Amino acid sequence: MMQNVHLAPETDEDDLYSGYNDYNPIYDIEELENDAAFQQAVRTSHGRRPPVSEKTFFFFFISKTSLASSIGRPMTGAIQDGVTRPMTAVRAAGFTKAALRGSAFDPLGQSRGPAPPLEAKKKDSPEEKIKQLEKEVNELVEESCIASSCGDLKLALEKAKDAGRKERVLVRQREQVTTPENINLDLTYSVLFNLASQYSVNEMYAEALNTYQVIVKNKMFSNAGILKMNMGNIYLKQRNYSKAIKFYRMALDQVPSVNKQMRIKIMQNIGVTFIQAGQYSDAINSYEHIMSMAPNLKAGYNLTICYFAVGDREKMKKAFQKLIAVPLEIDEDKYISPSDDPHTNLVTEAIKNDHLRQMERERKAMAEKYIMTSAKLIAPVIETSFAAGYDWCVEVVKASQYVELANDLEINKAVTYLRQKDYNQAVEILKMLEKKDSRVKSAAATNLSALYYMGKDFAQASSYADIAVNSDRYNPAALTNKGNTVFANGDYEKAAEFYKEALRNDSSCTEALYNIGLTYEKLNRLDEALDCFLKLHAILRNSAEVLYQIASIYELMENPSQAIEWLMQVVSVVPTDPQVLSKLGELYDHEGDKSQAFQYYYESYRYFPCNIEVIEWLGAYYIDTQFWEKAIQYFERASLIQPTQVKWQLMVASCFRRSGNYQKALDTYKDTHRKFPENVECLRFLVRLCTDLGLKDAQEYARKLKRLEKMKEIREQRIKSGRDGSGGSRGKREGSASGDSGQNYSASSKGERLSARLRALPGTNEPYESSSNKEIDASYVDPLGPQIERPKTAAKKRIDEDDFADEELGDDLLPE
């Protein structure tokens, strides 16, 4: 066993750890700084040597030459024969080909300093021009939309046209620079759509249709077919109903079935078009489909109208019931605080008048308007009488969510009775409504007060006005009616207080504002009255009554120029009002402008040839201008209007005499004497004419004249003795005669001037003249003497004998 054991000798040439301290000089890192090949490799990216073979390895192991001589190919970036090899992708790492041997290692290039500034983009480059032009087009479209929303339609159209022109330039430039696929279709669509919209609002319908056609026919625009609805709207404005329906249906085909609301709106437009075209059956089909798919208030209201147009009573009832059943989708309970929690109360108060609440109120008001209008429309025709129809509507409304409208329908029923002049039924219904709640009671009492006020029963009107005010102190109509009753009793100050309170409760109560202006006018507070009517004119721009009141106040303030200006505005509103025209004539006559006065008086006479004041002025105007024949026409008209007024016939006879037609004048005097045998003036002119013409009737007329004068003298003495208790006679000879008709005539001696007053036209229920206790002043003196004045003022114009001097008997009966 020991034979196989060998002990290690103490000195063995084969040391196991020998060679570890020996190294090859090639791996000496201390000499790397002086190795030019290694330093060049470090500075460049080409220092990686190719794989070494065994032969090369052996050569490395035994050779002590430089690193450059141990590689089979030139090193990357090495300088050979004075020429540097080209660099590869090492610039990003910070290496450069210009680096020299011995330079510092700076891979980040920090020794080169800061980077140069960015190169500015060239503004004249095509891309920049396109971007700038696109920005300008967008700005023009925005400006056009803003101008349209502000109401400046002309400016909006100009901006839209500019945007269209620049957009076409933009498209051409894009086609030159880029491919057609890169064109901004959204910008082109917005420009064309805005241009078409502006054409439409400016009523340039042909241009709008052409622009819409450009959009619709372009297949590159997605969903452009919906614009056919806009084209249908334009055709509807042009009353081209067939094309409107065609385009609406084409638009309907473009809308997918999932977009239900849009389809319903288009169908509503189709129904409206059928109604305007008079095709009610087709409209009924459209609205019936809408009410079955998505019922709404407008569709239900239009459906009721269509059935009313075709006269189908049962369908009217069903349509009205469908309208009543349309849900409002308004929750009134959320505006009522359920607890005393302060936070909850604050939230409730905050949402009571927010925008959503206002929208709900508008929706409810619209629903009530549609229901009330439909009920008033169908109530007279759905039953045998309008009362039964109203009763049916009231019952239907009471069973619906609009219970409060039932009382309003009852009031409308009473108003319908008033229109039919069935006052007893109206009063009965209104008195029945007095037992309702305070709001209805106030409305009924207000109407009763107005009824009694129009019937001149001011006591009852005041009583019901008090009931209306007590039921609802904030009812402006009740306060106005109360003020009217006080105004009728002459208490203008108190009436003004009621009108002011009505205005405090409702500043838009135009009736109260108008009445308080009249009250101030009665109180002679003209400045305050003018202020009220000017405020009212700002509210009611074209109210003829307000304009006339302003003119009247300016006249009272002795400012005729302003009065004429405001009356001209009245004429522009009501050009055929004879009273306004005659008032203008009066003002121009005051100003001395006879030609303008004649123009307006003549227009007034043309529209109303029965105004005696206008006829009198025109007759006097022609007498002043010595057109006797024209004056005769107006005096004959006056004699027809007032046949018991002797003055007009004497004026006709005088005009005949002045014009040289003595025979016609004599016949007229004789005819007048037959009608008024006790008229002294007529007998005087008969005596004068018959004497100068040598007629035998002169003696007879003279005897009648003497007898009449004696009777007048005796009667005058009796009257004077009855008054004074003495029978003394006057120094001046006067007489009176009474005719069968109760007329009282007075005559004066030669040279004395008398005034003839004309009575105003009677009421509509009275004859033009009557033989009652009314006094008719028929005194007459020939107005054609040598001292003829110009016509007097208009509204109170009278032909006065004081204006004309009496003539000596027989001085100018015959021409020279």
Side-chain angles (χ1 to χ4, degrees):
M1 188 169 89
M2 293 298 292
Q3 294 177 354
N4 296 328
V5 175
H6 298 281
L7 298 176
E10 295 181 359
T11 59
D12 194 354
E13 296 179 358
D14 297 328
D15 189 1
L16 294 176
Y17 299 98
S18 63
Y20 284 100
N21 295 325
D22 300 331
Y23 62 93
N24 197 311
I26 297 175
Y27 302 110
D28 188 2
I29 61 173
E30 296 179 359
E31 297 296 327
L32 288 178
E33 295 181 359
N34 301 323
D35 193 340
F38 181 81
Q39 293 297 328
Q40 184 67 21
V42 169
R43 295 189 187 97
T44 65
S45 61
H46 304 283
R48 188 174 63 84
R49 293 176 173 81
V52 283
S53 61
E54 295 180 357
K55 183 178 180 180
T56 307
F57 180 78
F58 178 74
F59 178 80
F60 276 168
F61 205 75
I62 64 175
S63 177
K64 294 185 179 179
T65 59
S66 63
L67 289 175
S69 63
S70 64
I71 301 175
R73 63 179 182 84
M75 293 179 59
T76 303
I79 301 176
Q80 296 178 355
D81 298 331
V83 179
T84 306
R85 285 190 61 189
M87 297 290 294
T88 56
V90 295
R91 187 179 297 275
F95 300 104
T96 62
K97 63 181 180 179
L100 299 176
R101 180 176 298 190
S103 61
F105 179 71
D106 188 12
L108 299 179
Q110 298 178 359
S111 62
R112 292 178 297 178
L118 296 175
E119 183 179 356
K121 294 184 179 179
K122 297 181 180 180
K123 295 184 178 180
D124 56 349
S125 64
E127 291 81 3
E128 286 299 319
K129 289 182 178 179
I130 289 174
K131 289 182 179 179
Q132 184 64 27
L133 193 57
E134 185 174 343
K135 181 180 179 182
E136 292 177 3
V137 172
N138 281 315
E139 290 176 353
L140 285 172
V141 172
E142 291 178 2
E143 291 174 2
S144 175
C145 296
I146 292 172
S148 179
S149 63
C150 295
D152 193 349
L153 303 181
K154 185 177 180 181
L155 178 62
L157 181 58
E158 292 297 328
K159 295 289 185 181
K161 287 181 179 179
D162 291 342
R165 285 191 291 267
K166 290 193 175 184
E167 194 274 334
R168 287 192 293 271
V169 175
L170 174 62
V171 170
R172 286 195 294 268
Q173 290 188 5
R174 279 188 179 277
E175 290 176 350
Q176 294 175 2
V177 176
T178 60
T179 58
E181 289 79 7
N182 294 329
I183 296 176
N184 192 346
L185 292 178
D186 293 337
L187 181 61
T188 304
Y189 181 88
S190 62
V191 169
L192 291 175
F193 178 70
N194 179 60
L195 181 59
S197 300
Q198 300 308 324
Y199 276 134
S200 179
V201 297
N202 282 275
E203 299 183 357
M204 300 171 66
Y205 298 131
E207 292 82 355
L209 289 172
N210 293 333
T211 309
Y212 279 127
Q213 284 288 359
V214 172
I215 302 175
V216 171
K217 289 183 178 180
N218 195 334
K219 302 299 182 181
M220 300 179 67
F221 296 137
S222 60
N223 300 324
I226 192 64
L227 294 182
K228 292 181 180 179
M229 183 174 66
N230 293 12
M231 300 175 70
N233 293 338
I234 294 176
Y235 282 119
L236 181 61
K237 292 177 182 178
Q238 293 179 334
R239 299 181 184 275
N240 192 343
Y241 302 122
S242 59
K243 280 196 173 182
I245 293 171
K246 174 184 175 181
F247 276 88
Y248 283 142
R249 287 176 171 170
M250 292 170 66
L252 188 63
D253 295 336
Q254 297 288 331
V255 179
S257 58
V258 294
N259 198 344
K260 184 183 294 184
Q261 290 297 327
M262 180 61 70
R263 294 180 63 87
I264 291 297
K265 291 179 179 179
I266 296 176
M267 292 190 68
Q268 284 182 338
N269 287 3
I270 294 174
V272 170
T273 309
F274 277 129
I275 290 177
Q276 294 192 10
Q279 303 177 20
Y280 298 109
S281 300
D282 296 327
I284 287 172
N285 294 332
S286 298
Y287 288 121
E288 284 285 2
H289 179 72
I290 294 172
M291 293 301 291
S292 62
M293 297 295 295
N296 59 78
L297 295 171
K298 291 184 178 179
Y301 176 67
N302 290 337
L303 182 61
T304 307
I305 292 177
C306 291
Y307 280 127
F308 174 80
V310 298
D312 193 334
R313 294 184 177 182
E314 295 300 324
K315 293 292 182 64
M316 274 187 267
K317 292 182 178 180
K318 292 181 180 179
F320 184 74
Q321 290 173 340
K322 289 181 180 179
L323 175 62
I324 291 286
V326 173
L328 275 179
E329 299 178 355
I330 296 176
D331 185 12
E332 297 288 348
D333 296 336
K334 65 183 177 182
Y335 301 108
I336 302 174
S337 180
S339 63
D340 295 334
D341 184 12
H343 179 71
T344 306
N345 293 337
L346 287 175
V347 173
T348 304
E349 290 295 329
I351 66 174
K352 275 186 178 180
N353 292 310
D354 60 355
H355 293 293
L356 179 60
R357 177 58 172 166
Q358 293 175 6
M359 290 175 60
E360 291 178 346
R361 287 173 178 170
E362 292 175 359
R363 179 177 175 82
K364 185 176 181 181
M366 182 181 68
E368 293 177 353
K369 177 183 177 181
Y370 286 158
I371 292 171
M372 293 295 295
T373 306
S374 300
K376 289 188 287 186
L377 183 67
I378 68 174
V381 296
I382 58 176
E383 298 291 346
T384 55
S385 65
F386 86 93
Y390 265 108
D391 292 339
W392 183 86
C393 292
V394 169
E395 293 300 325
V396 173
V397 170
K398 283 182 177 179
S400 68
Q401 55 184 329
Y402 305 98
V403 181
E404 65 274 6
L405 294 182
N407 294 324
D408 295 336
L409 283 175
E410 291 284 359
I411 293 177
N412 283 329
K413 182 179 178 181
V415 173
T416 307
Y417 275 122
L418 289 177
R419 290 174 180 169
Q420 296 182 354
K421 298 183 178 180
D422 192 348
Y423 302 110
N424 294 329
Q425 288 289 342
V427 171
E428 181 180 350
I429 294 174
L430 292 173
K431 287 184 176 180
M432 180 183 63
L433 292 174
E434 285 187 81
K435 303 174 183 178
K436 302 289 183 180
D437 58 0
S438 60
R439 186 184 67 86
V440 179
K441 182 178 181 180
S442 178
T446 301
N447 289 331
L448 285 170
S449 175
L451 273 174
Y452 285 116
Y453 183 85
M454 290 186 291
K456 307 297 182 183
D457 191 348
F458 299 123
Q460 287 284 357
S462 179
S463 174
Y464 280 104
D466 290 334
I467 294 175
V469 171
N470 294 332
S471 300
D472 185 3
R473 188 69 187 184
Y474 300 100
N475 185 354
L479 292 167
T480 303
N481 284 353
K482 180 60 179 177
N484 291 342
T485 58
V486 177
F487 184 94
N489 293 328
D491 192 351
Y492 303 122
E493 292 288 351
K494 190 175 181 180
E497 292 299 324
F498 281 107
Y499 295 142
K500 288 178 182 178
E501 187 175 356
L503 285 173
R504 284 193 294 269
N505 293 334
D506 184 6
S507 59
S508 63
C509 184
T510 55
E511 295 84 0
L513 188 57
Y514 185 90
N515 291 349
I516 198 172
L518 295 179
T519 305
Y520 286 144
E521 187 177 351
K522 288 286 187 181
L523 295 171
N524 201 26
R525 295 156 64 176
L526 299 181
D527 291 334
E528 298 179 52
L530 181 61
D531 184 56
C532 291
F533 286 119
L534 288 176
K535 289 180 181 178
L536 195 58
H537 174 62
I539 302 172
L540 307 174
R541 301 296 300 180
N542 295 322
S543 175
E545 293 83 359
V546 176
L547 294 171
Y548 187 84
Q549 289 297 334
I550 295 174
S552 177
I553 291 175
Y554 274 120
E555 183 185 6
L556 294 175
M557 297 171 70
E558 298 181 356
N559 192 344
S561 60
Q562 283 291 331
I564 290 173
E565 181 180 346
W566 285 96
L567 283 176
M568 293 298 292
Q569 296 186 40
V570 180
V571 171
S572 66
V573 177
V574 280
T576 60
D577 192 302
Q579 186 65 28
V580 177
L581 293 170
S582 65
K583 191 68 177 178
L584 269 171
E586 176 186 350
L587 291 174
Y588 276 116
D589 192 21
H590 271 299
E591 294 295 303
D593 192 346
K594 298 297 180 181
S595 60
Q596 285 288 343
F598 171 76
Q599 176 185 349
Y600 286 108
Y601 271 122
Y602 181 77
E603 287 294 315
S604 176
Y605 172 78
R606 190 164 64 89
Y607 290 117
F608 184 63
C610 297
N611 190 336
I612 202 68
E613 295 179 354
V614 174
I615 293 173
E616 183 181 5
W617 193 95
L618 290 171
Y621 177 83
Y622 282 119
I623 288 176
D624 184 42
T625 55
Q626 298 184 359
F627 287 97
W628 319 112
E629 294 81 1
K630 290 186 175 294
I632 289 172
Q633 299 176 7
Y634 293 101
F635 292 134
E636 285 180 344
R637 169 76 66 173
S639 65
L640 291 175
I641 296 173
Q642 295 181 343
T644 59
Q645 185 67 274
V646 68
K647 177 178 183 176
W648 306 121
Q649 300 184 32
L650 294 177
M651 293 295 295
V652 171
S654 180
C655 289
F656 277 127
R657 185 172 62 84
R658 270 301 182 182
S659 64
N661 194 346
Y662 299 107
Q663 186 59 44
K664 192 69 175 176
L666 181 62
D667 294 340
T668 306
Y669 280 127
K670 288 182 178 180
D671 185 60
T672 305
H673 177 65
R674 284 193 298 269
K675 293 179 180 179
F676 304 97
E678 296 183 356
N679 185 268
V680 176
E681 286 78 8
C682 182
L683 284 172
R684 285 179 178 176
F685 282 102
L686 278 173
V687 170
R688 183 192 302 181
L689 270 177
C690 292
T691 301
D692 291 342
L693 293 176
L695 300 179
K696 298 179 180 180
D697 297 336
Q699 297 297 328
E700 180 181 356
Y701 291 130
R703 286 194 301 269
K704 290 182 179 180
L705 178 61
K706 187 176 181 180
R707 185 169 61 252
L708 279 176
E709 289 178 344
K710 183 178 289 187
M711 291 174 60
K712 290 167 71 175
E713 183 180 358
I714 295 172
R715 183 175 300 170
E716 184 65 26
Q717 289 177 356
R718 290 177 179 175
I719 293 174
K720 189 173 181 180
S721 62
R723 291 177 180 175
D724 302 335
S726 63
S729 62
R730 291 186 179 181
K732 188 189 310 183
R733 186 168 175 266
E734 294 181 11
S736 63
S738 60
D740 296 336
S741 60
Q743 298 165 348
N744 191 8
Y745 306 119
S746 62
S748 65
S749 60
K750 183 177 64 175
E752 184 180 2
R753 306 196 177 192
L754 300 175
S755 173
R757 299 173 188 168
L758 300 177
R759 295 187 302 109
L761 287 174
T764 55
N765 298 325
E766 299 178 7
Y768 285 112
E769 296 292 337
S770 62
S771 57
S772 60
N773 297 329
K774 296 179 181 179
E775 180 182 356
I776 300 177
D777 189 355
S779 60
Y780 174 79
V781 178
D782 187 8
L784 305 176
Q787 301 178 1
I788 300 178
E789 296 183 359
R790 296 185 65 82
K792 285 194 171 182
T793 58
K796 297 183 179 180
K797 168 89 177 116
R798 299 289 184 268
I799 299 178
D800 297 339
E801 281 75 4
D802 292 344
D803 295 352
F804 309 111
D806 195 6
E807 304 167 290
E808 293 289 343
L809 291 176
D811 284 347
D812 57 351
L813 290 178
L814 297 176
E816 297 180 359

